[in-house]
Amino acid sequence: MPKKVASPYRKVSLGAPGICLINVPALKGFKVELYFGQIGGLGFYSPRNEMEAQNFILSLIKSALSHHVRMQTHALQDLRDALINRIHELGTEFKVENKIDINYKCDKEKCLLQWAENNGAKTRLQIAYVEGAGRGAIAMEDMEVGDIAMEIPASITISEDLVYKSDMYQVLEKIDGMSSETMSLLWSMKERHNCNSQFKMYFDTLPENFNTGLTLAVMNIVDDIQIVARLSFGVEAIMALDGTLLFEEIMQAKEHLRVQYDELFPELSKDHPDIFPPELYTWEQFLWACELWYSNSMKIMFADGNLKTCLIPVAGFLNHSLHPHIVHYGKIDSTTNSLKFRLSRPCSVGEQCCLSYGNFSGSHLITFYGFLPQGDNPYDVIPLDFEVDQVDTMVECPLSNWTTHMVRGTWLSENQNIFYYGLPSPLLDCLRSARIQMPFTKTLIKANMEVDKEILEDLQSTFNAMMENLSDMDSVDRESSSWDMKLASQFKEMQRRIVSSILTSCSTGIKLVEHELSKCKAEE
Ligand SMILES: C[S@@+](CC[C@H](N)C(=O)[O-])C[C@H]1O[C@@H](n2cnc3c(N)ncnc32)[C@H](O)[C@@H]1O
């Protein structure tokens, strides 16, 4: 049964079954894919998935070609060429223009790059300032599918291994439930102030403020002076987000981090002031480190098979895209003991080269990374939680059964016809089966039309209520407003677009059903 928490959205009853729009934070990408995968959409699920599938076939062709099956060589080469063409076409179809700010000199970043190269790193990318995304990595030459854009030796990655060598390990290892991620985070809080650190160049390139949704945590918890001192996700933006999934996700993350901090501090600083100096282990600094690790770390599989969360100097400049150039980068190449960033699609000289951080929704990206990506994100869904009342026939007692469904922008669905309406079939089937005992046959009979009409009207009233909650940020001037207001307004606009498409599909669906109903009545 889903956790019942005070809902950001009004709890709305849809008759049978009861529907409640709840806060399901960060619905996992694969769950979203499974849910909508069975429905079918506009040819493929997302440009990233399509490209991954094509790259997978390319790797099979490469391996088949290396086995010299003569008869098939030509066919395989043709297939490979066709796939590469399709990958190029996909790149053109989903091209995103990035403006580079040539006035930003990137001196510190160049020093870091030089240090990394001196330590064995290789790169075909340079660092520049990309409008709207901070620093990013730009191709210095044309690169093709399969080319390595960047190679970082394992020896310059920052992971838990550094904690084991430090004096704090003897204290941390005795703490119950201490994770390697928390150890690395605590290590980085101190190391960033160490003038003799091996990673000084890296820490010097990090911003004072990350401006993720987590920055909000400062606001609710500490006093007003600190709020002003740190550019926080401000009161105005938070007020604007009240009642949205993003608000709920930020609040949950904030509470989680505060509990974690309170479990460790100030005790650790009191007991070991030399190892955890209190001035370096404030709540503010803890949050800074959380933002660093959430927004910049990567999970890497090392040659010994261990999976570690790492900060990767230089590779940390790669920004995220919904149509990334690099998708698979999580494994150290055991022959070179380095991390290779291989291209899954071509990248032209001057173009920004992007990674995929994962299949995340907009609310997750704002909370932990502080941005919304350009383009349609198929992982932006609105979760719907249903409580379906059933009766336990053994003891004649009512049972409560929760099930989660989700809705996304209906422009992503190809079937807008009667019985489908651009809405997810699992959702419609669930609502139908709660209203009629028999299996729903999708035939144009009066009883079916009446059921569908009722369902569409209920959905319409639910999403109308949600729209009211989302419709008050029209006055925000994107150009002049602060970063947090811009993000809040972008988020609400994205949600409004999804809800509006659902409302349009509902009203078009109602008209379709009414038309069929009138035909049924005429025949009677
Ligand atoms: C791993 S860092 C990438 C380098 C970063 N731009 C910088 O200047 O340090 C991740 C951060 O970059 C920014 N970012 C990444 N992808 C972005 C995108 N597509 N649009 C806007 N900002 C993005 C966000 O601030 C995110 O927290």
Side-chain angles (χ1 to χ4, degrees), residues 132-135 295-296 316-320 357 369 371:
R135 281 91 40 100
S295 66
N296 277 257
F317 291 127
L318 289 158
N319 287 321
H320 171 82
Y357 293 176
Y369 295 87
F371 74 96

Side-chain angles (χ1 to χ4, degrees), residues 389-458:
D389 291 334
Q390 290 179 339
V391 174
D392 185 333
T393 45
M394 301 291 283
V395 283
E396 290 290 315
C397 125
L399 286 175
S400 186
N401 201 1
W402 285 87
T403 155
T404 299
H405 287 268
M406 46 192 111
V407 196
R408 62 180 179 181
T410 58
W411 64 83
L412 292 166
S413 311
E414 54 191 1
N415 198 344
Q416 310 279 337
N417 298 329
I418 197 141
F419 298 126
Y420 297 94
Y421 319 109
L423 296 164
S425 303
L427 166 71
L428 295 171
D429 289 345
C430 168
L431 293 170
R432 284 170 185 144
S433 66
R435 281 173 171 80
I436 51 167
Q437 307 302 320
M438 319 246 275
F440 192 86
T441 52
K442 294 201 176 87
T443 41
L444 292 169
I445 55 169
K446 191 178 160 207
N448 286 351
M449 295 301 95
E450 280 167 350
V451 167
D452 270 17
K453 185 167 180 248
E454 205 180 294
I455 287 170
L456 289 167
E457 283 170 352
D458 277 349

Side-chain angles (χ1 to χ4, degrees), residues 151-155 300-306 329-340:
E151 185 176 342
I152 306 290
S155 59
I300 303 298
M301 167 87 75
F302 279 74
D304 57 8
N306 281 331
Y329 49 88
K331 201 169 170 196
I332 295 277
D333 182 326
S334 56
T335 50
T336 52
N337 200 25
S338 63
L339 198 57
K340 289 180 175 160

Side-chain angles (χ1 to χ4, degrees), residues 280-493:
L280 301 189
Y281 285 91
T282 62
W283 164 237
E284 274 250 288
Q285 306 227 28
F286 181 77
L287 260 182
W288 180 90
C290 290
E291 288 184 286
L292 165 66
W293 283 84
Y294 276 126
S295 66
N296 277 257
S297 64
M298 301 178 188
K299 267 215 177 332
I300 303 298
M301 167 87 75
F302 279 74
D304 57 8
N306 281 331
L307 199 62
K308 296 172 191 165
T309 305
C310 306
L311 296 171
I312 320 277
V314 184
F317 291 127
L318 289 158
N319 287 321
H320 171 82
S321 166
L322 294 173
H323 184 27
H325 299 86
I326 301 162
V327 181
H328 299 288
Y329 49 88
K331 201 169 170 196
I332 295 277
D333 182 326
S334 56
T335 50
T336 52
N337 200 25
S338 63
L339 198 57
K340 289 180 175 160
F341 293 83
R342 181 190 155 276
L343 294 187
S344 289
R345 73 174 178 97
C347 188
S348 320
V349 60
E351 186 185 348
Q352 181 180 202
C353 184
C354 287
L355 275 187
S356 167
Y357 293 176
N359 294 331
F360 297 131
S361 65
S363 62
H364 183 91
L365 287 169
I366 291 184
T367 304
F368 297 102
Y369 295 87
F371 74 96
L372 262 185
Q374 287 182 48
D376 273 343
N377 183 351
Y379 301 95
D380 280 329
V381 299
I382 295 170
L384 301 174
D385 237 42
F386 291 92
E387 191 175 19
V388 187
D389 291 334
Q390 290 179 339
V391 174
D392 185 333
T393 45
M394 301 291 283
V395 283
E396 290 290 315
C397 125
L399 286 175
S400 186
N401 201 1
W402 285 87
T403 155
T404 299
H405 287 268
M406 46 192 111
V407 196
R408 62 180 179 181
T410 58
W411 64 83
L412 292 166
S413 311
E414 54 191 1
N415 198 344
Q416 310 279 337
N417 298 329
I418 197 141
F419 298 126
Y420 297 94
Y421 319 109
L423 296 164
S425 303
L427 166 71
L428 295 171
D429 289 345
C430 168
L431 293 170
R432 284 170 185 144
S433 66
R435 281 173 171 80
I436 51 167
Q437 307 302 320
M438 319 246 275
F440 192 86
T441 52
K442 294 201 176 87
T443 41
L444 292 169
I445 55 169
K446 191 178 160 207
N448 286 351
M449 295 301 95
E450 280 167 350
V451 167
D452 270 17
K453 185 167 180 248
E454 205 180 294
I455 287 170
L456 289 167
E457 283 170 352
D458 277 349
L459 283 171
Q460 195 177 40
S461 97
T462 302
F463 284 99
N464 263 329
M466 197 187 294
M467 195 59 151
E468 271 172 33
N469 209 18
L470 288 166
S471 58
D472 55 359
M473 282 193 80
D474 293 341
S475 55
V476 171
D477 174 0
R478 286 273 179 83
E479 291 310 306
S480 61
S481 56
S482 53
W483 67 272
D484 51 349
M485 281 302 279
K486 269 185 212 160
L487 268 182
S489 128
Q490 269 178 317
F491 179 79
K492 282 189 122 175
E493 192 176 296

Side-chain angles (χ1 to χ4, degrees), residues 73-334:
T73 303
H74 283 303
L76 287 171
Q77 279 166 347
D78 287 350
L79 182 57
R80 183 188 57 196
D81 295 346
L83 281 167
I84 290 180
N85 272 344
R86 180 65 193 128
I87 292 174
H88 275 264
E89 281 167 20
L90 210 62
T92 316
E93 203 178 320
F94 291 92
K95 197 173 171 72
V96 170
E97 291 298 338
N98 287 120
K99 267 200 203 151
I100 312 292
D101 181 350
I102 47 165
N103 296 321
Y104 186 90
K105 291 284 173 272
C106 295
D107 291 336
K108 283 184 190 163
E109 292 76 7
K110 280 184 192 141
C111 290
L112 180 69
L113 207 61
Q114 190 57 59
W115 167 83
E117 281 173 351
N118 294 345
N119 282 281
K122 293 177 199 150
T123 177
R124 296 162 81 178
L125 306 168
Q126 63 182 336
I127 310 309
Y129 200 87
V130 181
E131 218 171 78
R135 281 91 40 100
I138 315 295
M140 291 193 284
E141 57 193 276
D142 288 338
M143 290 178 281
E144 255 309 327
V145 180
D147 283 352
I148 307 292
M150 190 183 276
E151 185 176 342
I152 306 290
S155 59
I156 61 164
T157 58
I158 298 176
S159 75
E160 64 203 55
D161 293 347
L162 294 160
V163 189
Y164 303 143
K165 294 181 203 151
S166 76
D167 57 355
M168 59 178 69
Y169 183 58
Q170 37 144 344
V171 178
L172 297 179
E173 70 170 338
K174 296 194 185 95
I175 300 176
D176 262 358
M178 172 62 59
S179 70
S180 48
E181 276 89 1
T182 307
M183 285 201 282
S184 303
L185 185 141
L186 296 175
W187 174 88
S188 64
M189 287 173 75
K190 192 169 171 192
E191 191 69 5
R192 69 183 280 223
H193 300 286
N194 175 7
C195 299
N196 301 316
S197 169
Q198 174 197 356
F199 297 100
K200 185 171 173 0
M201 296 264 193
Y202 172 71
F203 285 110
D204 282 351
T205 62
L206 296 177
E208 273 306 307
N209 298 295
F210 284 98
N211 290 349
T212 71
L214 294 177
T215 319
L216 150 82
V218 176
M219 192 187 73
N220 269 14
I221 289 156
V222 298
D223 57 291
D224 288 356
I225 298 163
Q226 271 171 304
I227 296 169
V228 178
R230 186 179 163 118
L231 283 171
S232 66
F233 212 91
V235 184
E236 212 188 339
I238 284 303
M239 302 274 280
L241 288 176
D242 192 11
T244 63
L245 286 168
L246 174 57
F247 180 84
E248 199 56 34
E249 188 154 352
I250 289 177
M251 285 306 180
Q252 288 199 2
K254 175 204 81 175
E255 274 167 36
H256 168 76
L257 295 180
R258 184 71 212 193
V259 168
Q260 243 196 333
Y261 179 78
D262 288 343
E263 277 172 5
L264 297 171
F265 297 99
E267 295 315 307
L268 272 178
S269 294
K270 273 190 199 144
D271 296 346
H272 309 278
D274 45 336
I275 299 180
F276 301 101
E279 68 281 9
L280 301 189
Y281 285 91
T282 62
W283 164 237
E284 274 250 288
Q285 306 227 28
F286 181 77
L287 260 182
W288 180 90
C290 290
E291 288 184 286
L292 165 66
W293 283 84
Y294 276 126
S295 66
N296 277 257
S297 64
M298 301 178 188
K299 267 215 177 332
I300 303 298
M301 167 87 75
F302 279 74
D304 57 8
N306 281 331
L307 199 62
K308 296 172 191 165
T309 305
C310 306
L311 296 171
I312 320 277
V314 184
F317 291 127
L318 289 158
N319 287 321
H320 171 82
S321 166
L322 294 173
H323 184 27
H325 299 86
I326 301 162
V327 181
H328 299 288
Y329 49 88
K331 201 169 170 196
I332 295 277
D333 182 326
S334 56

